[in-house]
Amino acid sequence: MEQRYYQKEIETMPYAQMKKLQSERLVRQVRHVWDNVPYYRSLMEKKGVTPDDIHGVEDLHLLPFISKADLRDQYPYGLLATDLKNCVRIQSTSGTTGRRVVAFYTLKDVDLWEECCARAIVAAGGSREDVVQIGYGYGLFTGGAGLHGGSHKVGCLTLPMSSGNTERQIQFMMDLRATILCCTPSYAAYIGEALKDHGYKPSDNHLKAGIFGAEPWTEEMRHDIEAKLGIKAYDIYGLTETSGPGVAFECEEQNGMHVCEDNFIPEIIDPDTGEVLPEGEKGELVFTSITKEAFPLLRYRTRDICVLHRGKCSCGRTLIKMAKPMGRTDDMLIIRGVNVFPSQIETVLLKEGHTPNYQIIVDRVNNTDTLDINVEMTPEAFSDTVKALSAAEQKLAAAIRLMLGITPKVHLVAPKTITRSEGKAVRVIDRRKLHD
Ligand code: DLL
């Protein structure tokens, strides 16, 4: 029989029991952090809280938040909660702005992280029969290392491809009959396109599932990838600060990601006031890691905009679900006073039958914000008349206006002119920042 869970007891634990486990772990973790990280102790003292005030999950809201700015500020060792001699690994964020964040792991931390990734692989239908192709970057990025470890734990044959070198990805995928592909959704779409360019039909490969994450992607993008590769595409979420991928993962319902609550307690807060919002409301996702030894974070503000929902899931898992994050508070564009997430534009593009190869350019001309969207044509559309293309551009602009309330300038550009992503896609160029 197919194995449905990697750790059944935890994944299907009744919530009352889970809450008890979380509470015990939280109390222990707060004490650990208080005793070992002077910076945390000072944040708690500022808020007038001591470990004696924390008796369980219901007291979580008493603790101070911690943010990316704190992590950068304390780089590299300021938040380390154990002797460096106990650590066996570091991983780091891509660090496009400011200082990088470096996260430390003990052997136990690595083990628990890999277990979370193993849960994700089994939830996507993985077992020791599978060949898992890992197209996430290896190195400081957590994508490669996390899924690699998870794949080993499940006992799959692991292909440590890393990202890039698409020709070789395709060769190994076909020759070694990969059954599960792990990479970013934008790279999965690119691989799908490259397979087609090689003359392969979706049914020619042996893939059955993909485990895609590390960047926001829409339901429409999921359908596009599923059709291109002939697979079921599962979402996976995580961040370097809390370990890496596997903080939450999707099951066969493909309707939100189960959070590994035994390791991470999620909360949703109002990003402006910090107030905890009730279940089902949209806000900023906050995590408290209750099992990490080396780099524990209490109430870490992820800046991801999300919704939590606890309900019955047909897969039998009782772990709370998080919706697909729609982006980060700092990815949200404010264009002519309107809040715009790139994912909203992606939804319209794909619904209107366009390719997922696009670029959003925001600028300010004569004190007015401008929004230009370059969208790659399909090779079939490329042979259309200028009149037909211009009509298609106007139709798309009208559909985006309907979604956002502002009218963009849409430019259909020639096939293969927008750079493909092998990792996290860069969809937005905000030229206003250059003027500021
Ligand atoms: O992206 C870890 C990861 C690797 C997750 C592989 C999934 C798969 P960071 O580079 O630290 O870590 O970036 C974390 O990426 O705060 C989100 O904004 C975004 N993100 C990650 N997964 C998803 C997802 C990895 N499934 C940041 N959907 C997070 C939307 C995601 N955004």
Side-chain angles (χ1 to χ4, degrees):
M1 211 192 93
E2 208 184 328
Q3 190 192 357
R4 287 184 62 194
Y5 312 105
Y6 181 68
Q7 287 163 310
K8 185 168 182 210
E9 200 194 327
I10 292 168
E11 294 176 53
T12 61
M13 186 178 273
Y15 180 57
Q17 206 181 326
M18 176 60 75
K19 197 169 166 196
K20 195 162 162 275
L21 179 71
Q22 286 180 327
S23 293
E24 283 162 20
R25 290 181 170 176
L26 177 68
V27 168
R28 202 177 337 128
Q29 189 71 305
V30 171
R31 174 68 63 189
H32 171 56
V33 160
W34 172 272
D35 288 345
N36 294 294
V37 187
Y39 185 73
Y40 257 118
R41 184 191 280 240
S42 72
L43 286 183
M44 285 174 64
E45 278 169 349
K46 255 189 235 152
K47 249 203 130 193
V49 215
T50 73
D52 294 336
D53 300 315
I54 308 297
H55 306 287
V57 176
E58 58 286 354
D59 299 323
L60 190 61
H61 69 280
L62 299 174
L63 293 166
F65 291 116
I66 189 146
S67 70
K68 191 133 182 162
D70 294 300
L71 267 56
R72 291 210 177 107
D73 205 45
Q74 293 303 307
Y75 169 92
Y77 299 122
L79 292 170
L80 190 60
T82 186
D83 196 317
L84 199 55
K85 285 196 218 48
N86 300 325
C87 297
V88 295
R89 173 98 68 84
I90 66 146
Q91 302 282 164
S92 175
T93 55
S94 43
T96 40
T97 51
R99 282 177 175 176
R100 277 175 176 270
V101 168
V102 174
F104 296 84
Y105 302 71
T106 63
L107 206 50
K108 181 170 164 237
D109 291 336
V110 174
D111 200 48
L112 290 181
W113 172 28
E114 291 178 353
E115 272 178 10
C116 292
C117 290
R119 291 178 196 174
I121 292 172
V122 174
S127 72
R128 44 197 313 275
E129 309 289 323
D130 282 290
V131 179
V132 177
Q133 175 158 353
I134 302 189
Y136 286 114
Y138 279 65
L140 289 170
F141 179 54
T142 54
L147 270 309
H148 181 103
S151 175
H152 273 196
K153 282 211 184 293
V154 179
C156 309
L157 175 64
T158 310
L159 312 185
M161 305 296 297
S162 197
S163 60
N165 203 336
T166 308
E167 287 297 310
R168 193 173 59 192
Q169 301 273 0
I170 289 177
Q171 191 195 340
F172 275 43
M173 176 183 287
M174 301 308 286
D175 294 352
L176 297 172
R177 300 175 169 231
T179 53
I180 299 179
L181 175 65
C182 304
C183 62
T184 60
S186 52
Y187 194 35
Y190 176 21
I191 291 176
E193 183 185 42
L195 280 166
K196 188 170 174 214
D197 290 347
H198 279 71
Y200 291 118
K201 295 190 295 298
S203 56
D204 289 337
N205 67 62
H206 295 83
L207 293 173
K208 61 177 186 188
I211 304 177
F212 307 129
E215 61 184 1
W217 54 309
T218 57
E219 278 306 318
E220 290 71 22
M221 182 81 165
R222 187 204 307 264
H223 300 146
D224 182 71
I225 296 170
E226 290 189 331
K228 272 187 180 135
L229 293 171
I231 58 167
K232 221 169 144 154
Y234 295 84
D235 204 351
I236 184 167
Y237 171 89
L239 56 164
T240 316
E241 294 89 322
T242 54
S243 62
V247 170
F249 62 87
E250 231 170 24
C251 61
E252 69 246 22
E253 240 194 31
Q254 291 179 299
N255 174 27
M257 294 175 269
H258 289 287
V259 178
C260 290
E261 286 184 277
D262 52 324
N263 296 312
F264 310 101
I265 307 179
E267 296 172 275
I268 294 284
I269 61 159
D270 178 322
D272 298 321
T273 63
E275 182 202 347
V276 179
L277 297 178
E279 190 195 306
E281 280 196 31
K282 189 160 78 183
E284 181 179 349
L285 188 57
V286 170
F287 280 110
T288 297
S289 51
I290 46 176
T291 47
K292 286 194 76 178
E293 293 178 332
F295 198 71
L297 293 179
L298 305 181
R299 303 196 86 202
Y300 180 66
R301 294 185 60 156
T302 63
R303 296 177 298 174
D304 289 319
I305 300 295
C306 193
V307 178
L308 289 173
H309 179 65
R310 192 181 293 285
K312 227 177 150 64
C313 185
S314 61
C315 75
R317 288 180 184 78
T318 48
L319 302 172
I320 197 167
K321 276 184 180 177
M322 60 179 270
K324 259 182 177 312
M326 60 184 299
R328 296 163 78 116
T329 44
D330 39 2
D331 282 347
M332 188 181 77
L333 298 160
I334 302 179
I335 306 171
R336 285 175 237 150
V338 176
N339 297 348
V340 175
F341 279 102
S343 56
Q344 293 175 295
I345 295 177
E346 183 178 293
T347 299
V348 180
L349 291 183
L350 291 168
K351 264 199 184 139
E352 293 287 314
H354 291 274
T355 67
N357 302 311
Y358 63 96
Q359 198 166 44
I360 299 166
I361 300 152
V362 189
D363 206 344
R364 187 170 297 137
V365 180
N366 297 330
N367 289 323
T368 306
D369 294 332
T370 58
L371 170 62
D372 286 73
I373 306 171
N374 294 336
V375 189
E376 236 182 63
M377 282 176 253
T378 55
E380 300 80 58
F382 194 44
S383 53
D384 283 356
T385 61
V386 173
K387 199 166 151 208
L389 288 180
S390 145
E393 285 175 344
Q394 276 168 27
K395 182 164 177 274
L396 189 51
I400 292 172
R401 188 197 146 80
L402 208 61
M403 164 75 105
L404 303 178
I406 47 173
T407 314
K409 255 201 206 121
V410 171
H411 313 272
L412 288 175
V413 300
K416 312 268 165 142
T417 48
I418 292 178
T419 314
R420 299 292 185 267
S421 151
E422 296 172 346
K424 297 189 191 229
V426 181
R427 307 280 198 194
V428 181
I429 301 173
D430 194 342
R431 297 213 174 106
R432 295 175 301 184
K433 290 190 181 143
L434 302 175
H435 309 316
D436 291 341

